[in-house]
């Protein structure tokens, strides 16, 4: 069975999106319905795309902070309040730290977490 974890290691966001789009179009307007394997691949690809997009978003937030952007500016770029932008980034940092605690190799180590928290500062900055 296809899982996001199997796909995620082998594809880029671009290649996952291209394959997703190919399957989606075939499913929407194709002459024959997709087989079970292809439908499950479509679902798994959607999850991989979502995961990669969230990770990329947080890397861009980090880059914006390094470039001197305020949380108000970041929130505006994301279409949310500065508080919501900061909270989402803080949750992501916490999740990455938890991944490391559980797996000992995925996610961020303590030093990386501390550096990102320092960079993130407070929502009112």
């Amino acid at each position: 069975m296809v899982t996001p974890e199997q796909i995620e290691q082998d594809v880029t966001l671009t290649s996952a999106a291209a394959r997703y789009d190919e399957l989606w179009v075939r499913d929407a307007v194709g002459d024959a319905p997709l087989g079970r394997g292809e439908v499950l691949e479509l679902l798994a690809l959607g999850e991989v795309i979502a995961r990669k997009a969230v990770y990329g978003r947080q890397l861009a937030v980090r880059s914006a902070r390094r470039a001197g952007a305020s949380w108000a500016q970041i929130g505006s770029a994301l279409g949310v309040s500065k508080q919501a932008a900061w909270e989402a980034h803080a949750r992501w940092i916490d999740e990455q730290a938890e991944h490391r605690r559980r797996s000992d190799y995925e996610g961020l180590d303590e030093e990386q977490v501390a550096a990102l928290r320092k960079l993130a500062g407070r929502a009112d900055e």
Side-chain angles (χ1 to χ4, degrees), residues 2-4 7 16-29 33-50:
V2 176
T3 67
I7 296 172
R19 177 67 176 153
Y20 179 91
D21 190 54
E22 173 190 334
L23 290 171
W24 185 85
V25 168
R26 282 185 43 218
D27 190 43
V29 297
L34 297 178
R36 180 184 306 152
E38 290 173 315
V39 172
L40 293 172
E41 181 184 3
L42 181 66
L43 286 169
L45 283 164
E47 179 60 24
V48 167
I49 291 165

Side-chain angles (χ1 to χ4, degrees), residues 97-113:
E98 182 59 26
H99 283 311
R100 176 59 72 117
R101 279 191 287 279
R102 281 186 279 146
S103 73
D104 198 35
Y105 66 92
E106 291 180 333
L108 302 170
D109 64 31
E110 289 179 22
E111 187 176 305
Q112 293 168 318
V113 167

Side-chain angles (χ1 to χ4, degrees), residues 1 3 15 18-19 28-31 35-36 38 46 66 73 75 79-80 87-88 96 100 102 106 108 113 118 124-125:
M1 182 163 45
T3 67
S15 62
R19 177 67 176 153
V29 297
D31 292 332
R36 180 184 306 152
E38 290 173 315
R66 281 194 180 131
Q73 291 168 323
V80 299
E87 287 174 359
Q96 291 301 306
R100 176 59 72 117
R102 281 186 279 146
E106 291 180 333
L108 302 170
V113 167
K118 181 178 180 181
D124 59 357
E125 295 178 339

